[in-house]
Amino acid sequence: MLVHQDYPLLSWDIDAFDLKFMSFPVYPSGHSTVQFECVKETNLILIHSNKLNYTKLDEAHIVRLTASGGASAPIIKSTWLQPKTQYLVIELNGKLSQGQTYQLYAEFTGELADDLAGFYRSEYEEDGVRKIVATSQMHPTHARKTFPCFDEPAMKAVFHMTLIHPPGTVALSNGMETDVVDATIDGVAVTQTKFEPSKKMSSYLLAIVVSDYTHLRAKQEDTLIRIWARRKAIEQGQGDYALNVTGPVLDFFQSYYNISYPLSKSDQIALPDFYFGAMENWGLVTYRETNLLYDPATSSNSNKETTATIIAHELAHMWFGNLVTLRWWNEVWLNEGFASYVAYLGADYAEPTWNVKDLIVLDDVHRVFAVDALTSSHPLTSKEDSIVLPEQITEQFDTISYSKVHRPRPLSVYTYPLSYLNHFAYSNTVGNDLWQHLQMAVTDNDVLLPRPVQDIMNPWVLQMGFPVVTVDTASGKVSQQHFLLDPESNVTVDSPYKYEWPVPVRWMKAGEVQTDIWWLLEKEAVNPGMRSGASWVLANINVTGFYRVNYDLGNWERLFTQLSTDHQVIPVINRAQLVDDAFNLARAQLVSTTLALRTTSYLSLEMDFMPWQSALDNLNYYYLMLDRTEVYQPMQDYLKKQVTPLFMHFKNLTSDWTHVPEGHTDQYNQVNAVRTACRTGLTECQNLTSTWFRQWMENPQHNTIHPNLRSVVYCSAMAAGGEAEWEFGWIQFKEASLASEASKLMSALSCTSDTQLLQRYLSFTLNSTLIRKQDATSVITSVAANRAGQSLAWSFVRDRWEYMFTQYGVGSFSFASMITGVTARFSTSDELQQLEEFVEQNGAAGFGSASLAVDQALERTRANIKWLQQNQQEVLDWFSSQTH
């Protein structure tokens, strides 16, 4: 079997790809020439190819090899396809000569399928007319499905692209259009569009789109900015916000990196069918419609934030990821982690009143904590030779790679992108290259660190997991241990760092922030200042470090007293942290479950978003575990009691719901108040949402529900209603002209408690005319999240897995999130047995990119069973005691 490690035999210096495509037939054709220099003699050429049909050329071979400068090329002996590794192997009669330049020519056809991979077909309806977009998703390993290429990130090339397409359509690619001419080929009228050569880049960044879209445009200094979308969407102003925010974000990054935007234009396009949220193709960024289009009349502030932060994420990649690229897929964090972090900085620059930087803790840190506390987690950097096959590569794009690298940030030095990006422009790097340039910045700026940058960062990057730091305020002793959600699980992977980390501790004492960072550099140490006496200590201020914190019981009691008397003395991010840490420490049996629940006692006084969101996120686990038990009603009663003051606060603040709060996160917390009050049975809330929805049903053309509240109102009304409400919601979903509005309705349709409607809705996911393939996973997991739909969704996935995994959902379903979603409630031995049988039955076909998710689901289910056995009675007693 030919694998990635064989590549040292084939170290190409690739100069260029010449590509010409005839697009829009069901089987588009193309021809390509790749020019490369051989740097080591070999008689084998390995070039990636997948699902392409080749035209036989001279001498009955499917490729033609020529040499530059009048030299002769070796004769081709044989060619064959290696399906598992997706290589087209070309065996030669002689050897390629070192230093000689060669050209490899091929003619081929592929299928313009609806599989959301490579060059694919997306469909939509406009004014009753069915329209097609031919578009692409090359990342990470699908360029080879479009044309034969050296489809690895380190094999950068300049791409010369020509597209032949139907008259009346517009063609886009990475470079600016340089020549558009009408022509006739075989008696058929066509348009031929030629593009300026791309910059030297990896094949996964190539993009081609053919559509009848229109666009908005603006100039930002020398850069042309264009937003492309369906004609109706542009006419309705849905691209305006994206256009307005792109210029400031580009300006911010040019200043931040101190490097001009490398291209002449920045195209961004909204696609009806798209697998990822967005893709950073250099010069032509592709998006799901929900992530690029925004309509002030019908989109929520959450939609607006999504658009701003995703645009910022993708534009951050124009430098970090595109200009300088990871060498191999074992270090995805090098591309994604940094872009995820600076996306918040870019969005914060464009929308300074939102304070989005604070939301990193909820959106990323808490999310990755949950995965990285499992023994089935993985380090940020994996061994290069362990990531070989396409499904192994896809598996690397997970929460850890995107979100963990925001922390640890032991340094406030972010001047390093300048030297790093300049030094490695148009080439590739490994993690150690970044540490070397960060060390240069540390030295140049006289930053004091306890160890060299590489020694600080490697334990965070080369071993999985993170520590819990325990502070004993009686003695001042501070210690660390590997935090595991299941304390009885066994870590079978050895670490050269013995699961210890260099931990930067920012802390405060009785409301006073201590100025210096204190470093915990071994298993345990003493910090005399943390002997607090009658004062409380709080560590990891504003969660700038990637670790959880535990305290002695005396300090917990002092913190509870502070929360119940004047909670605002504790920073808002840390109020959210106290809740999240306590609940997870209880899961790990490091504190009692009662202690964790007590962090929510003060919430009747809390009006800020982050602590409430943290509490609701953690109580969601209790609902998943206990909403089918006798604990459910006392838990509902308690939460209703706690949320009622928040509900009344927003009722008063908004003058009886007639306007929205001014603050960005206040608007989020208003949604939390309404959602939680309705879910826990507050009659005033349920009457309110039912009335609003009924008014809309009576006048479908006039929806007066505020966009921020639509998701919660739709869901609440569907849950309380019956078939009439559901059918109305389905019609509105199918007729919605804005993708984000359709998304709200699509989610709400899964809120019904009618199992027949849920069963019908699940069946729609296997009919792409009813539910787009890209949305099927979301619908299935939404139904599974419904108390009434969990068992239905699990049965549906179990019964149809083979069909979805091997046929219908290939390339378009997120199987990892599907497995995670349908197994989230699993907490009984019967459910564990069903899951184990499911794994055994489908072992032959495998689980592809969902393999890790399956392992995590098994681990999580076993942990849930133990948790329920150990905690159900204690939780029941506590909730019951709070409402009597």
Side-chain angles (χ1 to χ4, degrees):
M1 183 172 75
L2 296 162
V3 294
H4 168 74
Q5 299 94 289
D6 292 335
Y7 254 138
L9 297 172
L10 294 165
S11 299
W12 307 113
D13 181 4
I14 305 165
D15 296 321
F17 272 98
D18 263 314
L19 299 163
K20 185 174 281 187
F21 283 96
M22 176 83 106
S23 66
F24 257 34
V26 176
Y27 298 97
S29 60
H31 55 83
S32 68
T33 303
V34 56
Q35 179 170 293
F36 59 89
E37 180 186 330
C38 178
V39 297
K40 189 173 181 181
E41 285 190 351
T42 179
N43 68 337
L44 273 183
I45 298 174
L46 280 69
I47 190 165
H48 285 101
S49 177
N50 182 34
K51 298 183 180 178
L52 295 175
N53 297 308
Y54 289 91
T55 303
K56 282 198 173 180
L57 305 171
D58 42 35
E59 300 177 20
H61 291 301
I62 58 175
V63 290
R64 181 186 301 134
L65 182 68
T66 55
S68 298
S72 60
I75 294 169
I76 295 171
K77 183 179 179 182
S78 63
T79 59
W80 69 92
L81 291 165
Q82 199 78 21
K84 192 163 188 180
T85 48
Q86 301 177 344
Y87 284 132
L88 169 61
V89 184
I90 302 155
E91 186 181 15
L92 307 174
N93 266 326
K95 290 192 173 182
L96 298 174
S97 301
Q98 184 177 343
Q100 176 67 47
T101 301
Y102 297 92
Q103 295 81 33
L104 188 68
Y105 175 81
E107 296 179 8
F108 49 87
T109 59
E111 183 182 359
L112 199 64
D114 64 350
D115 57 2
L116 312 188
F119 194 30
Y120 72 91
R121 182 180 80 252
S122 175
E123 298 181 14
Y124 65 99
E125 200 170 283
E126 197 167 64
D127 296 327
V129 178
R130 181 173 153 275
K131 295 186 175 181
I132 294 175
V133 180
T135 186
S136 63
Q137 172 61 29
M138 308 300 187
H139 179 279
T141 59
H142 301 309
R144 65 192 68 174
K145 185 174 169 281
T146 308
F147 63 103
C149 56
F150 298 109
D151 199 11
E152 300 196 1
M155 292 188 153
K156 290 191 170 186
V158 174
F159 294 87
H160 301 261
M161 175 68 69
T162 303
L163 281 171
I164 299 165
H165 52 102
T169 59
V170 62
L172 300 171
S173 190
N174 304 75
M176 192 67 192
E177 310 89 77
T178 58
D179 189 29
V180 182
V181 296
D182 293 325
T184 303
I185 297 179
D186 296 332
V188 178
V190 296
T191 299
Q192 179 171 291
T193 301
K194 204 169 187 177
F195 301 90
E196 64 182 351
S198 75
K199 298 290 184 182
K200 188 179 179 186
M201 66 182 195
S202 305
S203 53
Y204 77 83
L205 293 171
L206 189 71
I208 48 179
V209 181
V210 177
S211 69
D212 82 336
Y213 278 10
T214 188
H215 70 279
L216 302 167
R217 62 165 56 204
K219 270 291 247 210
Q220 192 77 9
E221 297 179 355
D222 296 328
T223 305
L224 174 65
I225 297 169
R226 298 187 295 191
I227 306 296
W228 296 84
R230 293 176 288 108
R231 292 178 177 275
K232 268 229 164 119
I234 294 293
E235 288 164 10
Q236 292 169 358
Q238 295 176 21
D240 294 358
Y241 180 67
L243 186 70
N244 294 337
V245 87
T246 296
V249 170
L250 276 177
D251 271 354
F252 171 80
F253 286 133
Q254 290 182 106
S255 170
Y256 184 76
Y257 295 127
N258 200 20
I259 297 174
S260 296
Y261 177 69
L263 310 180
S264 62
K265 58 101 170 173
S266 172
D267 278 335
Q268 297 177 94
I269 187 166
L271 298 167
D273 299 284
F274 194 66
Y275 181 76
F276 292 101
M279 176 58 211
E280 67 268 17
N281 316 300
W282 217 0
L284 176 53
V285 183
T286 44
Y287 294 83
R288 277 198 185 195
E289 286 193 345
T290 47
N291 293 334
L292 188 66
L293 304 181
Y294 171 80
D295 180 356
T298 54
S299 300
S300 67
N301 68 322
S302 174
N303 297 137
K304 194 173 190 180
E305 186 196 309
T306 296
T307 296
T309 51
I310 290 183
I311 286 175
H313 179 102
E314 302 312 321
L315 294 182
H317 273 308
M318 301 300 110
W319 292 265
F320 217 102
N322 295 7
L323 182 66
V324 178
T325 311
L326 81 178
R327 191 175 73 189
W328 184 241
W329 301 113
N330 64 312
E331 293 188 303
V332 165
W333 65 271
L334 256 181
N335 276 15
E336 295 300 342
F338 190 78
S340 293
Y341 171 69
V342 297
Y344 286 96
L345 305 187
D348 186 63
Y349 179 81
E351 297 286 1
T353 63
W354 289 357
N355 293 324
V356 289
K357 285 187 287 188
D358 292 350
L359 300 180
I360 291 174
V361 174
L362 287 175
D363 295 345
D364 288 281
V365 178
H366 286 181
R367 195 164 55 122
V368 74
F369 270 162
V371 179
D372 210 19
L374 303 174
T375 56
S376 50
S377 182
H378 63 86
L380 279 167
T381 294
S382 306
K383 287 193 170 74
E384 195 168 328
D385 59 7
S386 69
I387 314 297
V388 175
L389 301 175
E391 58 266 28
Q392 292 171 327
I393 292 168
T394 303
E395 206 169 34
Q396 298 308 298
F397 293 85
D398 64 358
T399 304
I400 288 171
S401 296
Y402 277 78
S403 298
K404 183 173 179 177
V405 84
H406 289 170
R407 271 85 167 138
R409 292 208 319 277
L411 316 168
S412 298
V413 181
Y414 277 108
T415 53
Y416 69 90
L418 174 57
S419 64
Y420 175 80
L421 292 170
N422 276 320
H423 189 268
F424 294 105
Y426 303 105
S427 62
N428 300 79
T429 62
V430 295
N432 281 341
D433 297 324
L434 186 54
W435 307 148
Q436 286 174 16
H437 283 260
L438 187 47
Q439 184 65 57
M440 288 161 51
V442 165
T443 304
D444 292 346
N445 288 274
D446 296 322
V447 176
L448 291 175
L449 291 176
R451 291 178 182 171
V453 169
Q454 184 166 316
D455 293 346
I456 290 172
M457 298 308 293
N458 278 348
W460 294 98
V461 170
L462 300 179
Q463 62 183 351
M464 69 177 179
F466 59 92
V468 51
V469 171
T470 301
V471 178
D472 184 339
T473 61
S475 63
K477 188 177 88 170
V478 186
S479 59
Q480 63 164 295
Q481 70 183 82
H482 184 191
F483 180 79
L484 293 169
L485 208 52
D486 178 2
E488 294 173 28
S489 58
N490 293 316
V491 178
T492 56
V493 180
D494 290 332
S495 164
Y497 305 99
K498 300 177 182 174
Y499 293 103
E500 292 179 23
W501 294 263
V503 183
V505 182
R506 296 178 188 269
W507 60 290
M508 71 192 302
K509 189 173 183 176
E512 292 292 321
V513 178
Q514 309 301 299
T515 51
D516 294 331
I517 297 176
W518 182 76
W519 286 83
L520 177 62
L521 297 172
E522 50 269 314
K523 189 84 172 167
E524 64 178 58
V526 173
N527 181 335
M530 290 186 182
R531 291 191 196 115
S532 64
S535 303
W536 53 263
V537 165
L538 184 70
N540 201 10
I541 300 304
N542 291 328
V543 193
T544 53
F546 189 74
Y547 55 94
R548 295 197 180 281
V549 186
N550 193 11
Y551 304 96
D552 59 286
L553 287 175
N555 196 63
W556 276 113
E557 290 297 337
R558 291 190 289 275
L559 287 167
F560 287 145
T561 300
Q562 185 63 62
L563 286 172
S564 61
T565 52
D566 185 2
H567 60 274
Q568 293 187 328
V569 172
I570 296 174
V572 65
I573 295 177
N574 288 100
R575 301 202 299 272
Q577 171 218 18
L578 283 169
V579 174
D580 194 64
D581 279 356
F583 272 89
N584 283 277
L585 292 167
R587 292 268 301 276
Q589 296 176 25
L590 295 172
V591 301
S592 70
T593 299
T594 296
L595 186 145
L597 289 166
R598 286 177 64 198
T599 63
T600 69
S601 296
Y602 92 101
L603 285 178
S604 56
L605 308 170
E606 179 68 83
M607 300 300 146
D608 274 312
F609 166 67
M610 290 187 68
W612 261 106
Q613 188 61 49
S614 181
L616 293 171
D617 287 344
N618 281 286
L619 286 170
N620 183 57
Y621 177 74
Y622 282 57
Y623 274 91
L624 288 173
M625 294 300 98
L626 298 162
D627 67 7
R628 296 172 290 174
T629 72
E630 60 184 326
V631 182
Y632 178 64
Q633 198 53 52
M635 182 163 58
Q636 286 279 82
D637 294 342
Y638 170 72
L639 195 51
K640 179 166 68 173
K641 184 184 82 166
Q642 294 299 82
V643 81
T644 299
L646 187 70
F647 181 82
M648 299 312 294
H649 165 76
F650 281 109
K651 179 183 177 181
N652 295 331
L653 187 66
T654 61
S655 304
D656 205 9
W657 315 104
T658 56
H659 64 269
V660 296
E662 285 186 20
H664 185 65
T665 54
D666 285 341
Q667 292 179 36
Y668 283 167
N669 216 26
Q670 181 193 22
V671 175
N672 276 341
V674 175
R675 177 183 289 118
T676 308
C678 282
R679 276 189 184 168
T680 55
L682 188 66
T683 306
E684 183 178 345
C685 181
Q686 292 178 333
N687 290 343
L688 185 72
T689 55
S690 295
T691 300
W692 284 342
F693 196 79
R694 191 165 55 250
Q695 287 170 347
W696 184 31
M697 288 179 69
E698 290 165 358
N699 188 359
Q701 303 308 313
H702 189 54
N703 186 351
T704 59
I705 305 166
H706 191 277
N708 287 0
L709 295 173
R710 287 186 181 181
S711 288
V712 59
V713 171
Y714 295 170
C715 182
S716 179
M718 297 272 185
E723 190 166 4
E725 285 78 6
W726 198 90
E727 291 290 357
F728 175 78
W730 174 256
I731 291 166
Q732 296 303 314
F733 164 66
K734 294 306 288 180
E735 293 179 354
S737 60
L738 181 69
S740 60
E741 176 70 2
S743 179
K744 293 180 181 77
L745 286 158
M746 184 174 71
S747 178
L749 288 163
S750 67
C751 294
T752 180
S753 50
D754 185 324
T755 53
Q756 286 186 307
L757 290 172
L758 291 171
Q759 196 75 59
R760 189 198 316 173
Y761 198 29
L762 286 168
S763 71
F764 289 177
T765 62
L766 297 183
N767 182 340
S768 61
T769 63
L770 298 174
I771 297 292
R772 291 184 181 277
K773 285 189 175 186
Q774 68 176 22
D775 296 323
T777 305
S778 176
V779 169
I780 292 166
T781 55
S782 292
V783 171
N786 181 341
R787 191 165 161 239
Q790 192 275 324
S791 60
L792 299 175
W794 166 236
S795 296
F796 180 82
V797 169
R798 192 172 41 171
D799 294 345
R800 294 162 182 79
W801 176 263
E802 187 178 357
Y803 170 64
M804 291 191 292
F805 183 68
T806 60
Q807 296 179 56
Y808 186 77
V810 174
S812 54
F813 278 28
S814 174
F815 292 109
S817 59
M818 187 188 298
I819 291 291
T820 302
V822 297
T823 61
R825 261 193 182 80
F826 280 15
S827 54
T828 67
S829 53
D830 280 351
E831 286 165 333
L832 176 61
Q833 186 180 341
Q834 289 173 23
L835 182 56
E836 288 171 338
E837 287 171 357
F838 170 72
V839 172
E840 189 179 339
Q841 287 163 6
N842 294 282
F847 293 94
S849 61
S851 299
L852 187 58
V854 169
D855 291 344
Q856 290 171 344
L858 286 163
E859 183 181 350
R860 210 164 16 231
T861 302
R862 292 185 186 108
N864 290 345
I865 291 169
K866 279 191 284 194
W867 185 89
L868 210 54
Q869 289 168 346
Q870 292 162 357
N871 292 283
Q872 183 170 341
Q873 190 60 46
E874 184 181 350
V875 173
L876 176 61
D877 293 345
W878 192 83
F879 279 129
S880 299
S881 72
Q882 299 302 302
T883 50
H884 291 126

